[in-house]
Amino acid sequence: MRCFKSLCHLTILFSALATLVACSGTPTYNPTTFPYQIEQAKLDAHPIKTVVIAHVNLGTQSRNYLEKEAPRIDGRVANYLKENGFKVLPQREFEQHWNVAERAFGNPVDPTTGKLNRKTFALIMHQVRDEMQESTNLDAFIFTDLVEFEVAFSGGLKHLARWDGVSRTPTMQGPGDGVSTEFDWNMLAAVASLQVTIYNMDLEPVFSSRGGLDATDAIDSRSSSGRYIRRRNILENESNIEEGIRLAFYPFIPTDEWPGKP
């Protein structure tokens, strides 16, 4: 009887350990996940297999320091798509057709405001679509905008900032290594996200979402009162970039690391 009880205890123990292991692989719930939009019926009717990543933004222009990082981020996006079975056409094909159409219809971006003229944009996209449809087996266009806004790092022990499904801690910049006890943690810091929008060959949006990347501001260790300054190295953490890409494409590309509600 003692042996039976011991066996029961061991069974319970192993069950508890298995539960702990299973839970450890589950991402922590994050309520800031972006409310994605997906047209599943259209995707089922016309599955997307071959894509091209646009070199232009769908919305307003990214900040200059983010725009410089766009080719590198697009490269990571292309790798992620290929790893998940998609054929990715060279971006230069889209760019060449875009440049020809832009000469015909004009620049769709207002150089003073950075805002997009949607009528001109539509004219250009229709011509690009027609040209690429004749020469390739393209199924969809993917736009990857780097967007920036402001959030606050929490006043808790870890000082986490949460946005678009990610949690990040602040970084220090400067000769010091500590933060003043009077630092205002309610102060807003700039952060960046990857915004993904996918258009089918009818130029209908079939998917859109956003994934957090990293903070673009750092705590200035030289400031006695405490402030944020622009980081010298923007979006340098490859792990953070990969996480943001996974979140931005969910559920178009499923992942077990989705921290939001199914």
Side-chain angles (χ1 to χ4, degrees):
M1 193 67 173
R2 287 180 187 170
C3 291
F4 179 74
K5 285 183 178 180
S6 297
L7 183 61
C8 287
H9 288 318
L10 283 173
T11 301
I12 293 170
L13 176 61
F14 283 127
S15 297
L17 286 172
T19 301
L20 285 172
V21 170
C23 291
S24 65
T26 303
T28 303
Y29 172 66
N30 189 324
T32 69
T33 47
F34 193 80
Y36 59 79
Q37 295 182 336
I38 187 168
E39 298 291 340
Q40 195 60 54
K42 291 180 180 179
L43 291 172
D44 291 340
H46 300 284
I48 292 174
K49 299 178 181 179
T50 303
V51 302
V52 67
I53 301 171
H55 71 292
V56 293
N57 278 10
L58 181 61
T60 57
Q61 291 296 101
S62 300
R63 298 290 182 86
N64 290 337
Y65 45 84
L66 288 176
E67 195 65 33
K68 290 190 296 184
E69 308 302 326
R72 180 168 58 88
I73 303 300
D74 282 349
R76 303 298 299 178
V77 169
N79 289 339
Y80 184 67
L81 289 164
K82 292 174 184 177
E83 289 168 2
N84 284 277
F86 294 91
K87 180 181 179 180
V88 182
L89 299 180
Q91 194 176 64
R92 65 176 179 274
E93 292 190 30
F94 177 92
E95 189 171 0
Q96 288 169 356
H97 292 301
W98 176 276
N99 291 339
V100 171
E102 187 180 58
R103 285 195 290 270
F105 300 108
N107 189 344
V109 178
D110 187 323
T112 57
T113 64
K115 292 184 178 180
L116 190 71
N117 183 318
R118 296 199 171 273
K119 182 178 179 180
T120 305
F121 182 84
L123 290 170
I124 293 175
M125 280 302 301
H126 274 85
Q127 181 164 314
V128 172
R129 186 273 312 272
D130 293 345
E131 294 291 337
M132 295 198 71
Q133 204 166 29
E134 288 184 6
S135 58
T136 69
N137 59 346
L138 184 66
D139 298 314
F141 299 93
I142 298 181
F143 291 86
T144 53
D145 295 8
L146 294 177
V147 296
E148 188 181 55
F149 44 94
E150 294 183 323
V151 299
F153 287 92
S154 69
L157 293 176
K158 293 184 178 181
H159 299 299
L160 290 175
R162 292 184 173 89
W163 77 95
D164 290 343
V166 300
S167 300
R168 301 284 185 257
T169 54
T171 57
M172 298 283 295
Q173 189 162 291
D177 58 359
V179 180
S180 169
T181 55
E182 298 179 357
F183 187 83
D184 181 9
W185 290 105
N186 292 316
M187 187 166 36
L188 298 179
V191 298
S193 289
L194 173 66
Q195 181 172 291
V196 169
T197 311
I198 301 177
Y199 280 80
N200 62 17
M201 296 308 284
D202 292 325
L203 298 182
E204 299 170 322
V206 292
F207 175 76
S208 62
S209 191
R210 209 163 69 190
L213 295 173
D214 211 344
T216 52
D217 277 352
I219 297 174
D220 183 6
S221 63
R222 296 168 299 182
S223 172
S224 58
S225 58
R227 62 172 183 172
Y228 289 112
I229 56 173
R230 181 73 59 227
R231 289 176 67 168
R232 283 189 294 269
N233 299 313
I234 302 293
L235 305 181
E236 62 181 342
N237 189 309
E238 293 296 326
S239 177
N240 288 349
I241 291 173
E242 291 172 2
E243 180 185 15
I245 291 173
R246 287 194 300 270
L247 296 179
F249 276 94
Y250 181 88
F252 179 74
I253 299 177
T255 176
D256 294 334
E257 298 178 39
W258 174 249
K261 294 180 179 179

